[in-house]
Amino acid sequence: MGGCRKYWWTNLIYVNNYVIDDETCMGWSWYLANDMQFYIISPLILLPFNVFAGAACGVVFIAASTAAIWVVDVNHEYSAQAALPFAPPPKDANFTKNLYVPSYTRIGPYVLGLFAGYLLYKTSCKLRIPKAINILGWFLSFSLICTVIYSPYTDGQSHMLSIKESAAYFSFHRTGWGLAMSWIIVSCCTGHGGWINELLSWSGFIPLSRLTYCAYLIHPLIMTTFYMCRRELTYFTQFELIYLFLGHMTMTYGLSFIVSLVFEAPMMGLEKAVFRKGGK
């Protein structure tokens, strides 16, 4: 808790407090700082004098991020399979601070999201995609998703990644995932998503989507409280994991609903009232 008392102010100005001290209060809020930093620099991509300049700026951000991740990983020898007992040891134990949390390692998907949003805005979600291109896009997007998920998998020591292979994985896996998600969003928003769009557009997701921010803040507290209150070791089975997942999810969204009603909804109403009054 010493870090929390010392660096509490970093949350107020969206500085990445986890990089400063990994014992800060609500340590998982580090991504809020990343998101705000990306938001601040987004005009460099969205508001240049022409589309090509903005695209070039975005490509530069992605290329710089990719290069930085590669250099950091090769120098520190972090393995993409570090969770495995027979993974090669890194040079230090600062993976989270050096490669997981910093904003420069996560800007790629954000830039791709800006590109996708700009495309949908300029076309008013009426982009015509030929059927063959649409099928190819879905195939490639699912291939990227599977590659990102299953590349580090191994059932033994037969598929251990080298340091350079791990560096390549860390350098491209988030951007690749963001590219796949961008295609899914563009295809669904332009009417080319088929049954996947119908599933993702289900009205039942709307209430849950409005609670995601509160759920993001509350979820780690629920899990921490649960595990800290246990008096015996957990024997993890498939049933145990499914039960814990459903329990944590139910508790998280239940409390998120209360927190949203007490704090978030009144503040949003106040914000609308202030800006509406200012507009008049």
Side-chain angles (χ1 to χ4, degrees):
M1 292 299 294
C4 183
R5 296 189 181 97
K6 188 175 182 180
Y7 298 110
W8 60 268
W9 53 271
T10 59
N11 285 303
L12 302 179
I13 61 174
Y14 291 101
V15 171
N16 205 321
N17 50 23
Y18 198 101
V19 177
I20 299 174
D21 192 316
D22 57 6
E23 296 183 358
T24 53
C25 43
M26 296 187 71
W28 58 93
S29 64
W30 58 265
Y31 190 75
L32 299 181
N34 284 3
D35 220 18
M36 178 57 71
Q37 293 164 20
F38 299 155
Y39 177 78
I40 291 173
I41 66 174
S42 61
L44 296 176
I45 300 173
L46 296 176
L47 301 177
F49 293 107
N50 58 70
V51 176
F52 297 104
C57 186
V59 170
V60 168
F61 278 129
I62 294 176
S65 172
T66 302
I69 295 171
W70 178 280
V71 171
V72 171
D73 189 72
V74 170
N75 287 337
H76 293 269
E77 297 185 358
Y78 298 131
S79 172
Q81 300 165 311
L84 301 177
F86 34 79
K91 288 184 177 180
D92 56 65
N94 297 322
F95 170 79
T96 301
K97 288 186 178 182
N98 292 334
L99 204 59
Y100 187 81
V101 168
S103 55
Y104 64 80
T105 67
R106 294 179 174 270
I107 195 172
Y110 193 91
V111 172
L112 292 174
L114 291 178
F115 287 164
Y118 183 80
L119 176 63
L120 293 174
Y121 169 75
K122 296 298 291 185
T123 60
S124 299
C125 295
K126 296 179 181 179
L127 183 66
R128 294 179 60 87
I129 303 176
K131 185 176 181 179
I133 300 298
N134 187 46
I135 294 175
L136 178 62
W138 279 100
F139 173 77
L140 293 177
S141 66
F142 280 120
S143 297
L144 273 175
I145 291 171
C146 292
T147 300
V148 170
I149 294 175
Y150 295 111
S151 289
Y153 173 78
T154 179
D155 57 355
Q157 301 188 39
S158 59
H159 180 60
M160 296 305 300
L161 300 179
S162 66
I163 294 301
K164 290 186 177 180
E165 289 172 336
S166 291
Y169 178 81
F170 284 128
S171 298
F172 295 104
H173 79 289
R174 290 195 184 98
T175 302
W177 184 274
L179 183 61
M181 294 298 106
S182 296
W183 168 261
I184 293 174
I185 292 171
V186 170
S187 183
C188 288
C189 289
T190 55
H192 300 86
W195 64 269
I196 296 179
N197 181 45
E198 295 178 3
L199 174 63
L200 297 178
S201 301
W202 179 49
S203 59
F205 288 137
I206 296 177
L208 296 178
S209 68
R210 293 174 178 172
L211 297 174
T212 51
Y213 180 68
C214 289
Y216 167 76
L217 296 178
I218 292 175
H219 186 211
L221 295 176
I222 297 293
M223 293 189 295
T224 301
T225 302
F226 173 80
Y227 289 111
M228 292 294 289
C229 290
R230 290 187 69 89
R231 294 295 181 266
E232 57 185 15
L233 297 177
T234 301
Y235 180 74
F236 287 104
T237 64
Q238 292 181 347
F239 177 79
E240 179 85 10
L241 291 176
I242 293 173
Y243 188 83
L244 290 177
F245 168 78
L246 294 176
H248 291 334
M249 183 179 67
T250 303
M251 286 289 294
T252 295
Y253 275 97
L255 291 178
S256 296
F257 177 72
I258 298 174
V259 173
S260 179
L261 288 180
V262 175
F263 298 102
E264 189 175 20
M267 292 302 297
M268 292 176 64
L270 180 62
E271 181 181 359
K272 290 180 181 179
V274 171
F275 282 102
R276 187 182 301 117
K277 182 178 180 180
K280 293 180 179 179

